[in-house]
């Protein structure tokens, strides 16, 4: 009689443990849905997936899924961080490029203005003609 009572007690304990595991799995499922549903689209029908654990128990499967999802979430966060850093770097390079273009344009304007003033001065020094100044310079360089 004691063996039967002990056996019944063990069965009741195991049954209670199964229900606790089931309740924990349902709670984890709700938590996962609330936490990850904005990040993943609903795909409609889903094919059967292979088990993630050797026990094939709902609670261990859910825990394995949670671990995989948290790993994926960390990878997504890292990728978003990298994208943000790259966007900042691109913006910084755009500013540098714009500043370089401004500096080169200003330098070109100054050089062109200096050249125009030099040619104008040469024309004024040669009584309105640029030809003698150019001819004299070419002759001096040829000698």
């Amino acid at each position: 009689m004691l063996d039967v009572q002990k056996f019944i007690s063990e069965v009741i304990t195991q049954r209670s443990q199964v229900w606790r595991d089931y309740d924990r799995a349902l709670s984890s499922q709700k938590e996962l849905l609330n936490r990850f549903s904005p990040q993943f689209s609903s795909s409609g029908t889903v094919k059967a997936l292979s088990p993630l654990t050797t026990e094939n128990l709902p609670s261990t499967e859910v825990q394995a899924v949670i671990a995989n999802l948290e790993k994926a979430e960390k990878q997504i966060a890292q990728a978003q961080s990298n994208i943000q850093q790259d966007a900042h770097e691109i913006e910084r390079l755009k500013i540098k490029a714009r500043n370089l273009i401004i500096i080169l344009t200003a330098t070109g304007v100054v050089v062109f203005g200096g050249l125009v003033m030099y040619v104008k001065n040469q024309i004024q020094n040669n009584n309105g003609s640029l030809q003698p100044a150019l001819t004299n310079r070419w002759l001096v360089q040829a000698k």
Side-chain angles (χ1 to χ4, degrees), residues 91-127:
E91 202 57 40
R92 191 179 63 79
L93 290 174
K94 283 181 181 179
I95 292 170
K96 275 186 167 183
R98 186 189 68 215
N99 291 343
L100 182 62
I101 289 171
I102 291 170
I103 290 170
L104 290 175
T105 302
T107 303
V109 167
V110 169
V111 169
F112 182 73
L115 182 63
V116 167
M117 291 176 64
Y118 173 76
V119 169
K120 182 180 176 185
N121 189 25
Q122 289 297 324
I123 291 173
Q124 287 175 352
N125 289 341
N126 294 317
N127 297 325

Side-chain angles (χ1 to χ4, degrees), residues 123-142:
I123 291 173
Q124 287 175 352
N125 289 341
N126 294 317
N127 297 325
S129 173
L130 185 59
Q131 189 60 36
L134 291 178
T135 307
N136 290 340
R137 177 168 282 154
W138 287 110
L139 291 174
V140 171
Q141 286 180 356

